[in-house]
Amino acid sequence: MSRARVLLLNSALGPLDYRVPHGMAVEPGSIVLAPLGPRQLAGVVWEADRMPSDAEVGDNRLRNLVAVYDLPPIAAPLRRLIEWTASYYLAPPAAVLRMALASASALEGGRTVVEYRATGVVPDRLTPQRAQALERIGERQGLIRELAAIADVTDAVIRGLVKTGAIEAVEVAMDAPFLDPDPSFAPPELSADQCTVADSIVEAVEAHRFDPMLLDGVTGSGKTEVYFEAVAAAIRQGRQSLILLPEIALTEPFLKRFEKRFGHLPVAWHSDLRQSQRRRAWRAIATGEAKVVIGARSSLFLPYRNLGLIVVDEAHETSFKQEEGVMYHARDVAVMRGHFEQIPVLLASATPAIETRQMVAAGKYRGLKLPGRYGPAQMPAISIINLTQDVPPKQRWIAPTLVAALQETMEKGEQSLLFLNRRGYAPLTLCRTCGHRFRCPNCTAWMVEHRLMARLACHHCGHVMPPPAACPECHEEDSLVACGPGVERIADEVAAILPDARTAVVTSDTIWSPAKAAEFVNRMEAGEIDVVIGTQLITKGYHFPNLTLVGVVDADLGLSGGDLRAAERSFQQIAQVAGRAGRGAKPGRVFLQTREPQAPVIQALVTGDADSFYEAETDSRREANAPPFGRYAAIIVSSEKQDEAVATARLIGRSAPEVEGMMVFGPAPAPLAMLRGRHRQRLLVHARRALDVQDVIRGWLGALEWPRGVRVAVDVDPYSFM
């Protein structure tokens, strides 16, 4: 071909045409280097009929491509997925392509890189920043900029530590081969139910056909061991498997579990990888060397050479929904990738989303069940603590019944878990003298006190400040008071109740990397922790046989706020955290502290009647024509200038087309009316299921113009309404 259409890694541009120089061979999917003004950008050659260009010019005006990378082309199924994702989620195709070409260094040559690591030497001049850097870096290594980001210091601090000898350079090979997992290394003994389900999934892998399945198994039923058999089948065929996990903190414990089954580690893909690790993983995936990949949602777009199976573990998790950039849902995109690749996709969950359950009911997904726990383990007994009757002491949040259960569990030498989905010490700090409340200067949000780190923090933009000695409004000293509990405050309460208990606070503030997660797991397995106090991070996938007591401090917390999924999320979250109890031979107990014991969610959890709960929730969604029976799309307008945001939102609202089966609500200020210094307005589109709402929105917004400082984002199938 003498002319090539190229999709460049620039979201502001559409595809452009280039001349293919004599002697250069390209094809659709070829990864190329192309000139753009004075710069050179990477891009991918695309079929012209599938990627129309608004900038077509004659052959005499074309610029030459600079080079073709010595890499396998992006295969047709992945190109189709990129097109579908861009169209469905109303995103620039280049922004989706960037996730496929997620390692710039992988495109270039060079087989080694210089990284840096701590030597153990303490410099003579140990400033607070240097001390912080050495503490946070620990045994990790990386480029100078990577270590600076880990330590939350400047590059200059790291370079200074290099000069003192506290950090040393080390040369790292970037293309060392990965060892292949052995499908026959340590096969498990499966129960009859597990064998039936495993055989069904293996048959789909061997058939090389698109087959979306839901593996619905209670917590502790051995879902992982079951789908590992399908992974083993794919390995035997020489094909690749992708296992998606919802949280980076789950990666390291999962890797250990995988290694016990297959003898070698899989290839990991997540945001905590160093540049050298990212390059090595990307190239191994693209060449087919990486047989099994364990990854976060972004790993879904990597250029697998010979993909044979996709597993979405904990498929109900809302963290699979990307909330910025390309606002895709990895669960749904995984199914579409399976469709384009013609391979099976397995969604595994103990508490499947209503959307997934409905696809099974409609016959579009195949349902597989594991109704009981594996081996001698039994589901825990769940009891209600009515906080209006079993009242905690003043300024305490743990009821006497739960206190007694904690004491009894510790006396037995067993472990307990207290769950509260609030990070920090207290969600609000105010002045008892004048009533001043500490609010983030960049967001419509309260500053959360983190007593362990001695700071007030915004959980939306990351703004932090030290707690002042006096109120900034009335200047009264010692007048600041913490309102309500966070996990740190519950940890203080546990320390007062059980002074000999060894506790651990598990949140994204304390478990910020796979290494930290592995350290926590090792301490739990070694019996070095008696009581865990954690947020939703602790609900996902952990298996501790000696953990026999779970206490949910505030079971009502997630039921407010007007979110259409509030009840479903609360049920999923509490059911998942309850499922951490009694996973071994010892029986488990769960206590739910609530002021609404008759709430349907609470009753469903106690009685174990999940089917009735889901049926009622599904019926209410059907009556409201809410997802999955109708469609939502959010339009979010933001600007640093409030008047521009309001004017643009009103313009969009006035211009809304009248379409049968579609209603537009708003504009109105977003619940988070300011986020990261930008004023925000929202509109909500509600449409019937069959309507091509993307096409309507594309034409609607495409006809409008707004100031350059205004951003307009569209969130198709939104999960957050903030």
Side-chain angles (χ1 to χ4, degrees):
M1 56 194 303
S2 60
R3 182 182 180 116
R5 180 147 299 169
V6 178
L7 182 60
L8 297 173
L9 293 183
N10 185 327
S11 300
L13 296 173
L16 300 175
D17 289 347
Y18 288 90
R19 181 184 296 110
V20 181
H22 180 70
M24 180 185 290
V26 300
E27 60 180 291
S30 293
I31 304 172
V32 298
L33 186 65
L36 183 68
R39 298 178 295 155
Q40 294 180 345
L41 293 181
V44 172
V45 176
W46 224 270
E47 300 94 330
D49 60 330
R50 302 195 66 94
M51 193 67 70
S53 174
D54 295 331
E56 287 197 48
V57 296
D59 290 351
N60 62 324
R61 297 179 58 193
L62 296 179
R63 299 180 70 180
N64 284 348
L65 290 173
V66 176
V68 182
Y69 288 103
D70 184 20
L71 291 166
I74 300 297
L78 179 52
R79 298 200 303 276
R80 302 294 83 84
L81 181 76
I82 290 169
E83 294 166 1
W84 179 87
T85 304
S87 175
Y88 187 88
Y89 292 104
L90 297 173
V96 185
L97 176 63
R98 185 173 291 279
M99 293 189 284
L101 303 182
S103 172
S105 65
L107 306 181
E108 305 293 343
R111 305 187 67 83
T112 62
V113 67
V114 175
E115 295 184 338
Y116 295 84
R117 65 186 178 195
T119 62
V121 174
V122 178
D124 294 335
R125 194 170 70 86
L126 189 63
T127 65
Q129 281 195 313
R130 285 182 170 183
Q132 175 178 309
L134 292 174
E135 179 187 359
R136 293 195 179 185
I137 290 169
E139 297 181 359
R140 301 164 89 178
Q141 72 179 48
L143 303 176
I144 282 179
R145 67 171 179 271
E146 291 172 336
L147 295 185
I150 290 167
D152 194 21
V153 297
T154 64
D155 290 6
V157 173
I158 304 299
R159 294 186 190 280
L161 288 168
V162 172
K163 290 179 181 178
T164 66
I167 290 178
E168 65 179 358
V170 57
E171 191 173 51
V172 176
M174 298 181 73
D175 287 330
F178 290 96
L179 296 173
D180 284 345
D182 179 359
S184 303
F185 182 75
E189 292 185 14
L190 301 180
S191 68
D193 285 344
Q194 287 177 318
C195 282
T196 300
V197 172
D199 289 346
S200 181
I201 305 170
V202 167
E203 188 273 330
V205 171
E206 293 174 343
H208 294 205
R209 68 170 185 263
F210 174 56
D211 189 356
M213 295 167 277
L214 168 64
L215 176 52
D216 182 357
V218 299
T219 54
S221 60
K223 295 183 292 295
T224 304
E225 284 70 23
V226 165
Y227 69 66
F228 273 176
E229 294 307 290
V231 171
I235 295 171
R236 290 189 180 100
Q237 293 183 336
R239 307 187 79 190
Q240 297 169 291
S241 298
L242 166 63
I243 302 174
L244 291 177
L245 298 180
E247 292 282 354
I248 185 176
L250 285 180
T251 307
E252 202 70 19
F254 191 94
L255 294 181
K256 289 174 61 178
R257 195 169 177 182
F258 184 96
E259 187 176 22
K260 288 180 181 177
R261 167 63 179 87
F262 293 101
H264 296 298
L265 291 169
V267 176
W269 183 272
H270 50 74
S271 59
D272 201 51
L273 293 181
R274 310 193 307 269
Q275 178 180 298
S276 59
Q277 294 172 315
R278 186 171 287 264
R279 172 206 156 93
R280 181 187 175 207
W282 192 94
R283 291 180 76 94
I285 289 165
T287 61
E289 176 199 333
K291 290 297 184 287
V292 183
V293 176
I294 309 294
R297 58 183 176 237
S298 60
S299 59
L300 187 56
F301 291 93
L302 296 175
Y304 300 92
R305 185 70 177 271
N306 189 16
L307 195 57
L309 171 69
I310 299 174
V311 176
V312 184
D313 205 352
E314 308 286 358
H316 63 279
E317 275 294 333
T318 56
S319 52
F320 279 125
K321 180 70 161 73
Q322 172 74 20
E323 297 292 352
E324 294 181 337
V326 182
M327 298 186 195
Y328 67 96
H329 199 303
R331 177 198 65 209
D332 301 334
V333 177
V335 173
M336 290 307 299
R337 178 143 201 187
H339 167 71
F340 291 123
E341 299 276 0
Q342 283 299 294
I343 60 172
V345 179
L346 182 72
L347 311 180
S349 175
T351 52
I354 287 176
E355 287 85 350
T356 306
R357 288 172 173 268
Q358 188 59 29
M359 294 298 276
V360 173
K364 295 182 179 180
Y365 294 177
R366 192 152 58 94
L368 305 170
K369 295 278 283 187
L370 287 174
R373 283 191 160 177
Y374 178 75
Q378 299 295 317
M379 294 298 289
I382 300 179
S383 304
I384 289 175
I385 296 177
N386 188 338
L387 291 175
T388 63
Q389 298 172 3
D390 195 354
V391 183
K394 190 174 182 180
Q395 291 301 302
R396 294 283 178 91
W397 283 269
I398 305 176
T401 299
L402 183 51
V403 170
L406 287 167
Q407 292 168 336
E408 181 185 340
T409 303
M410 188 173 169
E411 288 168 3
K412 291 180 180 178
E414 297 169 0
Q415 295 168 314
S416 302
L417 163 63
L418 293 177
F419 170 72
L420 176 64
N421 204 27
R422 274 201 189 122
R423 292 158 54 198
Y425 184 83
L428 173 64
T429 299
L430 57 77
C431 173
R432 65 163 63 91
T433 302
C434 70
H436 173 76
R437 301 182 180 191
F438 285 84
R439 202 176 87 168
C440 175
N442 307 314
C443 307
T444 312
W446 306 120
M447 297 290 282
V448 177
E449 181 180 357
H450 286 256
R451 196 159 288 187
L452 291 177
M453 293 176 281
R455 69 185 189 187
L456 299 175
C458 174
H459 290 169
H460 298 284
C461 72
H463 177 78
V464 296
M465 59 181 285
C471 172
E473 191 76 22
C474 68
H475 308 294
E476 188 74 23
E477 294 189 1
D478 299 322
S479 66
L480 304 184
V481 60
C483 298
V487 286
E488 292 177 14
R489 196 166 194 172
I490 299 301
D492 279 1
E493 187 172 343
V494 171
I497 296 166
L498 302 171
D500 296 329
R502 297 163 297 175
T503 62
V505 175
V506 177
T507 73
S508 57
D509 301 305
T510 59
I511 307 292
W512 65 79
S513 71
K516 281 288 183 184
E519 178 187 330
F520 162 67
V521 170
N522 291 338
R523 291 179 61 207
M524 281 292 287
E525 291 177 345
E528 296 173 4
I529 299 171
D530 300 311
V531 183
V532 179
I533 304 97
T535 60
Q536 61 179 348
L537 197 66
I538 198 65
T539 69
K540 302 175 175 71
Y542 289 109
H543 176 79
F544 302 124
N546 198 40
L547 198 160
T548 60
L549 173 67
V550 167
V552 179
V553 176
D554 188 349
D556 310 323
L557 183 60
L559 293 176
S560 57
D563 187 337
L564 87 126
R565 296 182 178 89
E568 180 190 14
R569 282 179 180 170
S570 291
F571 179 85
Q572 290 169 335
Q573 204 168 70
I574 296 173
Q576 289 287 336
V577 74
R580 300 313 107 198
R583 295 174 71 92
K586 300 174 182 177
R589 296 181 294 165
V590 178
F591 290 94
L592 310 182
Q593 295 194 158
T594 175
R595 288 179 174 81
E596 300 180 53
Q598 297 306 315
V601 172
I602 304 299
Q603 287 299 310
L605 288 161
V606 173
T607 62
D609 191 2
D611 289 341
S612 295
F613 169 75
Y614 274 112
E615 186 178 338
E617 281 292 301
T618 302
D619 286 345
S620 67
R621 298 258 195 107
R622 186 182 286 108
E623 290 175 13
N625 199 33
F629 305 101
R631 306 191 66 189
Y632 285 145
I635 300 175
I636 305 105
V637 181
S638 69
S639 173
E640 293 180 358
K641 299 178 180 178
Q642 185 175 13
D643 58 342
E644 285 188 349
V646 171
T648 302
R650 288 176 177 171
L651 169 66
I652 293 171
R654 286 196 306 271
S655 307
E658 292 188 10
V659 177
E660 184 181 353
M662 187 183 93
M663 295 180 289
V664 179
F665 302 98
L672 270 175
M674 179 179 281
L675 181 64
R676 301 185 187 97
R678 298 184 68 85
H679 298 274
R680 304 168 74 243
Q681 296 272 316
R682 289 179 65 101
L683 299 94
L684 183 66
V685 179
H686 185 192
R688 56 187 169 85
R689 190 75 200 167
L691 180 68
D692 187 350
V693 72
Q694 289 93 337
D695 196 49
V696 173
I697 294 173
R698 200 178 287 113
W700 169 15
L701 299 184
L704 303 178
E705 293 185 1
W706 45 78
R708 293 187 63 181
V710 174
R711 296 179 198 155
V712 177
V714 181
D715 186 1
V716 177
D717 302 337
Y719 266 60
S720 170
F721 293 84
M722 298 302 287

